[in-house]
């Protein structure tokens, strides 16, 4: 779990929902309620930006679009200066990866341009006229049916129910290296296979903590669901095993770190970038929902980047197999909770589409729409549902978020007769090639600056080495409860 370095203020200590820790935006300097950070923390941020900027690499193809999108967003006035500068300084300081073109002259392009406002207004006008001029109904129908066929193929890729990951590996198969992240029940380690020398991530869960926090069912669901799903944007579970005290889940190592960290470094993403990450998430949610799985914990902390810059959803600790409206558990991350969950009403996959709306907002604004340091106020804000969109959001993005952030689930996009198609076909995604997104043929906005395949954990926070006295098989605990592992 990413620990926020945002200064804690009174009353904002971790809130637990169903055993999970709350998050605090590290920086919501451009939020309606501006933060009051001291010089020290600003200096710290500056230092960390400089450190990070020299590492960051933006791929060659996207930057022009990325810059345009970034620069066409008037920056809100904040004590820390505009986000635009932040993004630009990241770009200016980047080093070129071997074989990659240095992004074209960013400094020149950063000069204020009178065409920016014009281009935004053209974009908005295009959106307003979209129904009249482009997208005639027949084209739309054809696109929709082509897309449905494509998605159907992916949706059917599910491993058989009797596919077992149990006992496929043991502690003796891996060298345990540093900690990549910590969670409520243990930690995730970088490991190296003693056989093929490849690097993996192993999530270790302490059985006693899982039992004490009444998370047995969630943990078993996580293992079961992850062992069956097969999707380009979902982490692969290679195997599970246990020792006397711990459960182990062997996953592929997502080397690029958390999207959360990238977002906090950039403060907010240009629309093109947000659209790209949203598109990958949508395809993963579409896949899960068609396989009767609701994810229930969408947030930037659970979205990791692989070495190429594509997303991998991790942490299926709240994922659940569902039929219709049959979830009641209060779980998820407060900022991302759908109103029906807070009201303790039965809820379904529509809750994930609500979270998608929050996710898109947070990527574009740098803070979630209902943010409050006071958890009760946060819940009130969510239930009340009034959203103040920053003026630099495009009409199309606002329209999509309005349709996702519908308190009434019978009006929420994703939950209507056409399901996810309403989202996929929304004008905000007009320039997205869904088939290319699915086949990962789209140029990514950001390639993590790592030495791929070398066990490079530079994109993760450093942790003091934790307990790694794993592998003790004496006096096994709870083996009846965790017999599936
Ligand atoms: N496959 C992976 N590759 C690289 N890092 C990973 C991987 N899976 C998890 N991590 C890191 O470990 C952190 C904790 O993982 P995860 O969220 O799955 O644990 P958790 O115990 O369920 O945490 P939480 O209590 O926050 O739900 C992640 O935020 C991420 O930084």
């Amino acid at each position: 779990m990413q620990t926020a370095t945002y200064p804690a203020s009174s009353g904002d200590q971790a809130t637990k929902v169903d055993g999970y820790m709350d998050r605090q935006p590290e920086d919501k300097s451009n939020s309606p309620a501006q933060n009051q950070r001291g010089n020290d923390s600003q200096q710290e941020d500056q230092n960390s930006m400089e450190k990070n900027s020299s590492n960051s690499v933006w791929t060659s193809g996207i930057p022009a679009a990325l810059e345009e999108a970034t620069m066409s967003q008037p920056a809100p006035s904040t004590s820390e200066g505009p986000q635009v500068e932040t993004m630009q300084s990241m770009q200016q300081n980047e080093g070129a990866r071997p074989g990659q073109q240095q992004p074209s002259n960013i400094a020149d392009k950063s000069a204020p341009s009178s065409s920016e406002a014009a281009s935004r207004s053209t974009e908005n006008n295009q959106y307003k006229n979209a129904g009249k001029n482009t997208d005639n109904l027949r084209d739309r129908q054809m696109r929709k049916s082509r897309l449905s066929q494509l998605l159907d193929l992916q949706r059917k890729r599910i491993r058989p129910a009797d596919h077992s990951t149990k006992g496929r590996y043991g502690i003796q198969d891996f060298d345990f290296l540093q900690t990549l992240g910590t969670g409520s029940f243990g930690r995730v380690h970088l490991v190296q296979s003693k056989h093929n020398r490849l690097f993996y991530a192993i999530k270790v869960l302490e059985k006693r903590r899982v039992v004490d926090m009444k998370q047995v069912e969630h943990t078993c669901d996580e293992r079961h669901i992850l062992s069956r799903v097969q999707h380009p944007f979902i982490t692969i579970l290679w195997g599970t095993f246990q020792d006397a005290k711990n459960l182990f889940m062997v996953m592929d190592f997502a080397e690029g770190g958390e999207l959360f960290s990238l977002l906090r470094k950039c403060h907010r993403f240009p629309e093109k970038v947000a659209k790209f990450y949203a598109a990958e998430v949508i395809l993963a949610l579409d896949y899960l929902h068609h396989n009767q799985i609701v994810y229930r914990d969408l947030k930037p902390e659970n979205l990791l980047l692989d070495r190429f810059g594509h997303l991998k959803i991790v942490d299926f600790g709240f994922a659940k197999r569902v039929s219709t409206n049959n979830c009641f558990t209060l779980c998820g991350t407060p900022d991302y909770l759908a109103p029906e969950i807070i009201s303790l009403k039965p809820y379904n996959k529509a809750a994930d589409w609500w979270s998608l709306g929050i996710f898109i907002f947070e990527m574009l604004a740098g803070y979630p729409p209902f943010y409050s340091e006071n958890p009760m106020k946060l819940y009130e804000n969510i239930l009340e549902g009034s959203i103040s969109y920053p003026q630099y959001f495009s009409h199309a993005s606002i329209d999509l978020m309005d349709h996702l952030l519908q308190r009434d689930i019978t009006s929420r996009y994703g939950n209507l007769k056409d399901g996810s198609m309403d989202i996929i076909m929304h004008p905000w995604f007009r320039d997205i090639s869904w088939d290319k997104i699915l086949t990962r043929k789209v140029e990514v906005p950001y390639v993590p600056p790592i030495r791929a395949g070398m066990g490079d954990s530079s994109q993760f926070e450093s942790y003091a080495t934790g307990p790694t006295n794993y592998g003790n098989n004496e006096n096994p605990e709870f083996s009846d409860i965790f017999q599936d592992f």
Side-chain angles (χ1 to χ4, degrees), residues 297-309:
D297 205 11
L298 180 63
K299 56 178 174 177
E301 294 90 320
N302 285 340
L303 301 173
L304 302 189
L305 295 167
D306 69 13
R307 66 176 65 165
F308 305 105

Side-chain angles (χ1 to χ4, degrees), residues 104 130 147 215 377 379 455:
S104 50
L147 266 171
Q215 296 298 312
K377 180 78 179 98
Y379 294 144

Side-chain angles (χ1 to χ4, degrees), residues 163-401:
H163 166 85
S164 176
T165 52
K166 180 183 168 180
R168 192 181 282 177
Y169 303 99
I171 200 95
Q172 70 287 351
D173 295 313
F174 301 96
D175 288 324
F176 277 69
L177 309 171
Q178 60 268 41
T179 299
L180 297 169
T182 54
S184 317
F185 318 109
R187 53 184 62 223
V188 176
H189 286 276
L190 175 65
V191 300
Q192 187 172 24
S193 159
K194 290 183 182 168
H195 309 288
N196 61 18
R197 307 310 295 164
L198 295 177
F199 293 91
Y200 297 89
I202 290 192
K203 179 162 166 172
V204 186
L205 301 115
E206 215 181 297
K207 291 186 204 174
R208 181 162 295 283
R209 267 158 87 181
V210 173
V211 172
D212 287 350
M213 291 173 81
K214 303 192 175 16
Q215 296 298 312
V216 173
E217 196 185 331
H218 285 161
T219 305
C220 292
D221 282 347
E222 175 173 22
R223 190 207 67 85
H224 182 78
I225 289 169
L226 263 183
S227 66
R228 297 205 57 201
V229 294
Q230 247 183 318
H231 192 276
F233 308 127
I234 297 177
T235 193
I236 297 172
L237 178 69
W238 294 99
T240 54
F241 57 93
Q242 59 182 294
D243 66 12
K245 294 197 161 35
N246 304 291
L247 307 168
F248 299 84
M249 299 173 71
V250 186
M251 299 172 287
D252 48 350
F253 169 38
E255 296 157 289
E258 295 176 13
L259 189 68
F260 181 85
S261 313
L262 184 65
L263 181 57
R264 290 296 175 259
K265 277 179 210 161
C266 297
H267 297 269
R268 57 189 169 88
F269 292 151
E271 292 218 354
K272 283 228 162 197
V273 177
K275 222 180 272 189
F276 169 82
Y277 293 128
E280 294 202 334
V281 166
I282 289 164
L283 292 184
L285 290 180
D286 169 86
Y287 168 82
L288 291 173
H289 291 179
H290 274 83
N291 286 294
Q292 308 306 329
I293 296 162
V294 52
Y295 176 62
R296 307 201 293 180
D297 205 11
L298 180 63
K299 56 178 174 177
E301 294 90 320
N302 285 340
L303 301 173
L304 302 189
L305 295 167
D306 69 13
R307 66 176 65 165
F308 305 105
H310 291 285
L311 289 184
K312 289 281 178 196
I313 302 188
V314 296
D315 196 356
F316 276 62
F318 284 143
K320 182 119 195 113
R321 278 164 294 159
V322 290
S323 46
T324 47
N325 279 4
N326 69 354
C327 296
F328 289 89
T329 324
L330 178 61
C331 63
T333 296
D335 282 309
Y336 277 67
L337 284 182
E340 63 270 22
I341 301 184
I342 295 175
S343 323
L344 299 176
K345 290 184 188 151
Y347 64 93
N348 67 4
K349 303 164 194 167
D352 280 343
W353 296 123
W354 171 278
S355 306
L356 175 74
I358 306 280
F359 173 56
I360 294 174
F361 187 108
E362 182 165 1
M363 283 194 290
L364 293 175
Y367 57 89
F370 301 113
Y371 181 77
S372 168
E373 289 185 354
N374 175 343
M376 291 319 288
K377 180 78 179 98
L378 169 67
Y379 294 144
E380 264 171 38
N381 292 347
I382 295 171
L383 291 175
E384 194 186 295
S386 77
I387 303 168
S388 152
Y389 293 107
Q391 57 173 359
Y392 53 82
F393 279 20
S394 68
H395 288 316
S397 69
I398 292 173
D399 186 77
L400 176 60
M401 283 178 270

Side-chain angles (χ1 to χ4, degrees), residues 68-207:
E68 243 170 58
T70 311
M71 287 183 292
S72 62
Q73 296 170 0
S77 57
T78 69
S79 57
E80 294 188 337
Q83 286 67 33
V84 180
E85 278 179 16
T86 305
M87 183 75 84
Q88 284 164 357
S89 69
M90 282 181 75
Q91 290 169 332
Q92 279 167 346
N93 285 317
E94 72 195 356
R97 285 161 67 81
Q100 272 186 337
Q101 218 182 313
Q102 182 86 7
S104 50
N105 193 337
I106 293 159
D108 286 349
K109 288 190 181 171
S110 67
S113 145
S114 58
S115 63
E116 286 158 23
S119 89
R120 169 153 305 276
S121 114
T122 312
E123 188 198 316
N124 283 337
N125 284 339
Q126 274 172 355
Y127 169 67
K128 279 185 204 150
N129 294 330
K132 295 175 206 154
N133 302 336
T134 51
D135 253 20
N136 72 48
L137 205 62
R138 232 185 68 218
D139 280 357
R140 197 181 147 82
Q141 286 303 345
M142 274 166 61
R143 254 184 84 207
K144 207 164 131 182
S145 82
R146 208 161 41 83
L147 266 171
S148 298
Q149 284 171 8
L150 183 83
L151 293 179
D152 268 345
L153 284 178
Q154 181 62 49
R155 290 164 182 158
K156 288 183 182 132
R157 296 188 65 200
I158 185 116
R159 293 185 180 129
D162 57 3
H163 166 85
S164 176
T165 52
K166 180 183 168 180
R168 192 181 282 177
Y169 303 99
I171 200 95
Q172 70 287 351
D173 295 313
F174 301 96
D175 288 324
F176 277 69
L177 309 171
Q178 60 268 41
T179 299
L180 297 169
T182 54
S184 317
F185 318 109
R187 53 184 62 223
V188 176
H189 286 276
L190 175 65
V191 300
Q192 187 172 24
S193 159
K194 290 183 182 168
H195 309 288
N196 61 18
R197 307 310 295 164
L198 295 177
F199 293 91
Y200 297 89
I202 290 192
K203 179 162 166 172
V204 186
L205 301 115
E206 215 181 297
K207 291 186 204 174

Side-chain angles (χ1 to χ4, degrees), residues 4-75:
T5 53
Y6 197 68
S9 51
S10 60
D12 70 350
Q13 296 307 318
T15 307
K16 283 184 183 174
V17 176
D18 203 13
Y20 276 54
M21 303 290 279
D22 191 11
R23 66 211 283 274
Q24 299 288 329
E26 258 180 79
D27 186 343
K28 55 183 190 67
S29 53
N30 50 348
S31 74
Q34 296 211 346
N35 73 81
Q36 305 290 321
R37 303 208 297 170
N39 289 338
D40 287 353
S41 52
Q42 284 183 28
Q43 187 57 49
E44 238 171 57
D45 264 10
Q46 189 59 39
N47 293 343
S48 86
M49 268 316 298
E50 278 164 16
K51 208 171 83 201
N52 292 320
S53 62
S54 59
N55 284 335
S56 54
V57 176
W58 295 85
T59 53
S60 56
I62 299 285
L66 195 65
E67 287 154 34
E68 243 170 58
T70 311
M71 287 183 292
S72 62
Q73 296 170 0

